[in-house]
Amino acid sequence: MNITDNKTTQMTGLEYYRLFIKKMVILLVIFSLVPLLLINTVLRHYFLSSYSDKVMEHMTELIQKHKQNIDNFLQERLNNIRVLASSNSMEQLTNEDFLKKNLDILQKEYDNAFVDLGIVDINGIQIAYAGKYKLVSANYKDSTWFNQALKSKYYISDVFLGLRGQPHFIVAVKKQWNNKDYIIRATIDFNTFNSMVEKIRIGATGFAFIVNKTGQLQTRNMYNLQTINGTSVLDFLNKIDLQKEDVHAVQNLQYRGKEFIFFIVSLKEGQWRLIFQQEQGDAFSELYKARQMGIIILLCGSIGVILIYYLMSRKMIRFIELSEQQREKMNEQLIESGKLASIGELAAGIAHEINNPVAIMVEEAGWIQDLLKEEDFKDSENVQEFSRSLLQIKLQGMRCKDITFKLLSFARKTDPRAVKTQINDLIEEIVKLSKQRAKYSHIEIKTEFEQDLPELMASPSELQQVFLNLFNNAIDAIGTANDEGMVSIVTKRTGDTVLISFSDNGQGIPKSNIARIFDPFFTTKPIGKGTGIGLSICHGIIKKLGGDITVSSEVGIGTTFELTIPLFLEKDTETPLFKEL
Amino acid sequence: MSQIKVMLIDDELEFTSIFSERLILRNFDVIAVNKVEDAFTKLRETLPDVILLDLKMPGMNGIEMLKIMRRFDPTIEIIIITGHALGLDKEEAVSMGAFDRLLKPLDINEVIKTIEQAYKKKNLEQRFLKNNTL
């Protein structure tokens, strides 16, 4: 698989995730919104219908009550006159003073509901009258109310203007006297009656009015009633069939650009109709508010759900992207370390293969040297040059040995088992191993060991790797930077830790590189010279021991690596520290 | 001091030929061997004092050879020579019965010093053994 192939598959992988998440989000949105919508719709339906039923019931009850009030009022007024008619003789009744006295009593008793009283004979002539109008001897022969009143025992008329030119209606009782019919009539004050109906106010737009059989208003026309579908409201309402005592409701009536609700109930034994009108929005205002609230909650909920899923999906995509990147990085590292492992194997192979031919070369050179001593070449002018040259071959051969040794330090399998380890001995060994190399580079090695340094629980081979790395780095850092190179290694015990420092007077590390110096694969050495893994391995090993590794450096002056390793991580280990204590 | 009998075992003829010459020059009795089979026959024939044994021989592992040779004659001191710096460290080699381990390329003076030390040890041991048996 080449790199481009790898990239495209990863790209499609990411796109696949995106698509997958998109689908998932859509599904989730659907599955969370559908129940929400269903619940909202169902609940709303049940709530609306039950609430509107409740409202209607309440209104019906209210209208029924008002109807009864009005009916009672009419019936009582009629009864007043009936009592007056039956409990008094005609002689008394036709006496105007008596009539006046009774009117006064009635007016006082019933809050000026009665305007006047009068007795009308069969010919329609008012023979007696009490009241504020001058209506004695008024002729009612052609009046509708009079003719109607003659037909039955009791009668309540429609509202009319009559002789006085004021809206009023008449309550009449027929009484026989000397085989002649007389009508005892009382006028009911229109305003008193009207205010009863006008009092029926519900909400902001609900009001009531009364119409008679022919559709004429019996109360004040306050609301400018207009037409519905071409016919007048009153006609329309009048045409509606009514059950005897029931309140009839008409809903959703479009009129004057609004929806109205009407309640109709018969009054006065079907002669009148009490009509209550209210704007539907007003009647059901609470309901509409609740409905609106429901819609708002539904909307907010849906938006919230969608938003959350959207954000969540974005986060997930981010997360996947990040992990994808991490995976890529890890892959790279894996490839790097794979490379490194093969480099190590290669190095191990080369080290062995190289050292054998180099050994032969060195021996051959040595052989020539031997021969030069044996034979008498002392006179030859070039003998010194030969010797120098042969020595150089030998030295370079030894250098090859050191290089391979260094190369192998990475390839070597380390034993991570922790045992009691004496740091000083370990460093001494490293110094011994690297002495040759230091000598070639004209580098002086100075060691300053604290005697009786307690032993550490650590893997010697791992520590060896750390020290070797730091030592080699020090030598590399000096390189050509300093003719009088010096590496000093100090071990010291401070409290519960051992401090080991590797200092060199080499080229130093620029500030910009200090922060990354322990990162894996970070190297400033030219390609092929450094792997960038050495210090990272050191860091890992020291951290594993619970210690720390720090670096301080100044360009042109030198670098110091300081290791601190805690003593005695294992409590059960008998240690020199405890012996000392 | 009589000549020390040294057996040089290494698969590379170029190495053994030149290195044995150099040792002979320094007054050693050298038997050079390039093959594993030859090594054992020559060992039996010549009974050397010290053996210089290359760790990597075709046909048999140097360590295996070391063990066989030690079993054959425990008084023969064996010095391992190897090009593989980290394949076997000194302590391991000694613990397996070798006198020492030297790294290729060799320093002839170091080799001579080590051979002489090994010979001295061998003589001491032999004398000790003789005294014990007497």
Side-chain angles (χ1 to χ4, degrees):
Chain A
M1 179 166 59
N2 60 40
I3 292 161
T4 42
D5 271 349
N6 194 13
K7 256 193 178 155
T8 47
T9 49
Q10 272 175 8
M11 282 294 285
T12 49
L14 203 61
E15 265 158 29
Y16 166 77
Y17 281 129
R18 284 216 170 118
L19 201 73
F20 173 72
I21 286 169
K22 211 176 184 179
K23 275 185 191 164
M24 207 174 72
V25 165
I26 289 168
L27 260 173
L28 277 172
V29 165
I30 289 169
F31 276 108
S32 20
L33 286 192
V34 163
L36 196 69
L37 274 167
L38 265 171
I39 289 168
N40 196 282
T41 318
V42 170
L43 282 186
R44 222 177 67 156
H45 177 259
Y46 280 111
F47 175 74
L48 289 187
S49 61
S50 70
Y51 191 87
S52 80
D53 284 353
K54 260 258 146 56
V55 168
M56 295 296 280
E57 223 171 84
H58 174 72
M59 300 272 267
T60 307
E61 233 169 76
L62 220 67
I63 302 301
Q64 193 83 42
K65 216 175 82 193
H66 282 294
K67 166 209 149 67
Q68 253 153 26
N69 266 352
I70 293 165
D71 267 345
N72 284 348
F73 175 84
L74 293 174
Q75 199 58 48
E76 275 169 21
R77 298 300 81 76
L78 182 65
N79 285 347
N80 292 143
I81 304 307
R82 277 177 66 186
V83 169
L84 186 74
S86 58
S87 57
N88 298 294
S89 64
M90 275 311 281
E91 285 90 347
Q92 280 175 309
L93 287 172
T94 46
N95 180 334
E96 289 210 348
D97 284 340
F98 178 82
L99 220 52
K100 192 153 172 35
K101 210 170 88 194
N102 271 297
L103 180 65
D104 282 347
I105 293 165
L106 285 171
Q107 276 178 341
K108 247 176 229 160
E109 203 70 32
Y110 299 107
D111 215 8
N112 293 325
F114 291 96
V115 178
D116 54 14
L117 286 172
I119 314 295
V120 183
D121 68 10
I122 193 107
N123 299 318
I125 305 298
Q126 187 153 263
I127 54 172
Y129 174 81
K132 54 185 180 177
Y133 303 100
K134 290 186 174 126
L135 290 171
V136 183
S137 307
N139 191 351
Y140 294 116
K141 196 176 168 121
D142 300 324
S143 298
T144 324
W145 72 265
F146 178 69
N147 291 316
Q148 290 291 328
L150 281 179
K151 281 180 195 160
S152 55
K153 260 185 151 177
Y154 322 111
Y155 175 69
I156 300 169
S157 76
D158 287 348
V159 175
F160 63 102
L161 289 174
L163 295 171
R164 62 194 77 175
Q166 287 280 330
H168 64 285
F169 68 92
I170 281 163
V171 180
V173 175
K174 196 165 77 177
K175 187 171 172 154
Q176 272 197 330
W177 186 40
N178 297 338
N179 289 329
K180 273 183 189 164
D181 283 341
Y182 290 90
I183 304 292
I184 298 138
R185 59 159 277 268
T187 309
I188 306 295
D189 182 42
F190 175 75
N191 287 329
T192 310
F193 178 69
N194 194 55
S195 71
M196 267 185 81
V197 178
E198 275 179 7
K199 262 196 302 198
I200 308 173
R201 294 293 312 248
I202 297 170
T205 58
F207 65 90
F209 53 88
I210 294 172
V211 289
N212 68 2
K213 265 189 168 166
T214 54
Q216 281 170 320
L217 265 178
Q218 301 300 299
T219 48
R220 213 174 284 155
N221 182 4
M222 297 169 72
Y223 304 99
N224 188 25
L225 296 166
Q226 291 175 344
T227 55
I228 297 171
N229 303 333
T231 52
S232 88
V233 180
L234 302 180
D235 283 346
F236 176 82
L237 294 170
N238 243 23
K239 276 179 203 151
I240 291 164
D241 282 333
L242 283 184
Q243 296 294 317
K244 232 187 156 198
E245 293 291 306
D246 285 346
V247 177
H248 185 86
V250 183
Q251 282 193 70
N252 309 323
L253 208 62
Q254 287 285 342
Y255 132 75
R256 279 157 70 180
K258 280 174 184 160
E259 275 200 327
F260 280 87
I261 182 165
F262 286 95
F263 290 92
I264 306 152
V265 68
S266 66
L267 277 176
K268 222 178 107 190
E269 283 155 358
Q271 287 175 341
W272 291 355
R273 287 177 171 204
L274 174 67
I275 292 162
F276 176 80
Q277 168 196 318
Q278 192 174 13
E279 275 181 26
Q280 197 131 329
D282 185 29
F284 295 114
S285 66
E286 290 297 318
L287 191 64
Y288 290 166
K289 254 186 231 164
R291 198 165 65 180
Q292 257 176 346
M293 207 66 182
I295 288 165
I296 286 167
I297 288 168
L298 181 70
L299 265 173
C300 287
S302 310
I303 288 167
V305 163
I306 289 165
L307 205 74
I308 280 169
Y309 284 140
Y310 174 71
L311 289 177
M312 230 168 63
S313 72
R314 272 183 48 153
K315 219 172 181 180
M316 258 160 85
I317 287 170
R318 261 274 183 68
F319 179 75
I320 287 169
E321 264 172 3
L322 258 170
S323 52
E324 198 79 6
Q325 274 170 11
Q326 256 169 2
R327 204 179 59 124
E328 230 168 284
K329 209 169 165 187
M330 262 165 70
N331 266 348
E332 275 167 25
Q333 280 186 3
L334 213 67
I335 290 162
E336 274 302 322
S337 50
K339 267 189 211 159
L340 214 71
S342 26
I343 287 169
E345 276 166 37
L346 197 70
I350 287 170
H352 187 74
E353 295 307 319
I354 284 279
N355 276 335
N356 280 324
V358 167
I360 296 166
M361 275 158 63
V362 168
E363 292 317 325
E364 292 288 357
W367 177 233
I368 297 169
Q369 243 176 343
D370 291 348
L371 292 182
L372 275 177
K373 279 179 206 152
E374 286 290 305
E375 309 283 331
D376 196 14
F377 283 113
K378 297 218 164 82
D379 295 338
S380 171
E381 54 181 299
N382 285 331
V383 73
Q384 267 190 326
E385 271 305 299
F386 287 144
S387 293
R388 193 202 56 77
S389 181
L390 289 167
L391 188 72
Q392 199 54 239
I393 293 172
K394 197 176 149 193
L395 284 179
Q396 296 309 320
M398 292 303 171
R399 199 173 154 200
C400 281
K401 185 161 85 174
D402 278 337
I403 290 168
T404 52
F405 181 76
K406 196 180 143 198
L407 205 62
L408 279 166
S409 65
F410 285 130
R412 188 185 190 187
K413 278 186 191 125
T414 53
D415 181 4
R417 275 174 303 176
V419 292
K420 279 185 189 172
T421 308
Q422 177 52 252
I423 296 283
N424 288 347
D425 294 351
L426 221 58
I427 295 171
E428 193 73 62
E429 208 175 304
I430 299 291
V431 170
K432 233 195 293 174
L433 281 168
S434 308
K435 218 168 209 159
Q436 200 77 7
R437 193 173 166 229
K439 211 168 76 190
Y440 293 134
S441 314
H442 305 291
I443 292 167
E444 195 189 331
I445 304 167
K446 231 174 74 180
T447 53
E448 199 178 304
F449 294 152
E450 179 166 317
Q451 295 307 309
D452 307 321
L453 200 68
E455 287 176 323
L456 286 176
M457 283 304 290
S459 153
S461 55
E462 281 185 351
L463 278 181
Q464 207 171 23
Q465 206 175 359
V466 172
F467 299 148
L468 196 65
N469 254 311
L470 292 176
F471 194 81
N472 283 332
N473 276 349
I475 287 172
D476 288 343
I478 293 166
T480 54
N482 202 327
D483 288 338
E484 294 174 349
M486 183 154 82
V487 178
S488 76
I489 306 165
V490 179
T491 61
K492 223 176 4 181
R493 184 181 160 190
T494 50
D496 287 347
T497 56
V498 171
L499 185 111
I500 306 141
S501 75
F502 282 76
S503 310
D504 64 68
N505 55 357
Q507 59 194 11
I509 307 159
K511 271 210 173 89
S512 53
N513 290 341
I514 288 266
R516 298 170 60 202
I517 203 150
F518 297 114
D519 289 355
F521 309 113
F522 175 76
T523 182
T524 55
K525 290 176 185 171
I527 292 163
K529 285 283 166 71
T531 57
I533 202 171
L535 280 176
S536 137
I537 288 173
C538 291
H539 188 254
I541 291 170
I542 297 299
K543 282 282 173 192
K544 200 175 77 180
L545 287 172
D548 201 6
I549 178 166
T550 56
V551 60
S552 57
S553 181
E554 207 163 318
V555 174
I557 290 178
T559 308
T560 301
F561 280 91
E562 277 194 339
L563 312 178
T564 48
I565 306 169
L567 288 164
F568 321 123
L569 286 172
E570 286 174 46
K571 283 172 194 155
D572 53 349
T573 318
E574 207 194 355
T575 60
L577 177 71
F578 295 131
K579 277 180 202 163
E580 274 170 36
L581 292 171
Chain B
M1 196 160 86
S2 62
Q3 267 193 334
I4 302 170
K5 211 187 272 179
V6 178
M7 192 168 157
L8 176 62
I9 308 170
D10 195 306
D11 59 326
E12 285 189 89
L13 185 64
E14 293 86 348
F15 181 77
T16 51
S17 59
I18 205 78
F19 198 63
S20 56
E21 283 294 336
R22 294 192 76 194
L23 288 175
I24 290 164
L25 200 67
R26 281 158 181 81
N27 208 22
F28 287 99
D29 181 4
V30 183
I31 310 116
V33 173
N34 301 107
K35 283 183 189 145
V36 177
E37 310 86 64
D38 292 354
F40 290 110
T41 44
K42 286 275 182 193
L43 175 70
R44 232 168 273 130
E45 280 169 27
T46 56
L47 292 173
D49 302 308
V50 178
I51 298 172
L52 292 173
L53 172 63
D54 187 23
L55 199 59
K56 206 179 157 200
M57 291 290 287
M60 193 186 271
N61 188 331
I63 292 166
E64 208 51 42
M65 284 176 75
L66 172 99
K67 283 176 183 166
I68 294 166
M69 285 168 170
R70 289 290 291 177
R71 230 177 291 142
F72 172 72
D73 184 351
T75 63
I76 298 175
E77 293 300 338
I78 299 167
I79 299 164
I80 285 171
I81 50 174
T82 175
H84 203 314
L86 295 160
L88 181 78
D89 54 35
K90 250 177 219 249
E91 288 75 21
E92 277 178 284
V94 170
S95 74
M96 273 184 271
F99 177 75
D100 202 348
R101 184 214 58 166
L102 297 174
L103 289 177
K104 278 189 194 173
L106 300 164
D107 180 348
I108 188 100
N109 296 324
E110 196 189 356
V111 175
I112 289 163
K113 216 162 63 184
T114 316
I115 291 171
E116 279 167 354
Q117 281 170 355
Y119 182 65
K120 224 176 267 174
K121 188 189 167 211
K122 190 204 149 145
N123 276 352
L124 275 171
E125 273 177 0
Q126 261 175 344
R127 215 171 302 151
F128 179 74
L129 273 171
K130 234 179 256 173
N131 287 347
N132 262 14
T133 45
L134 280 172

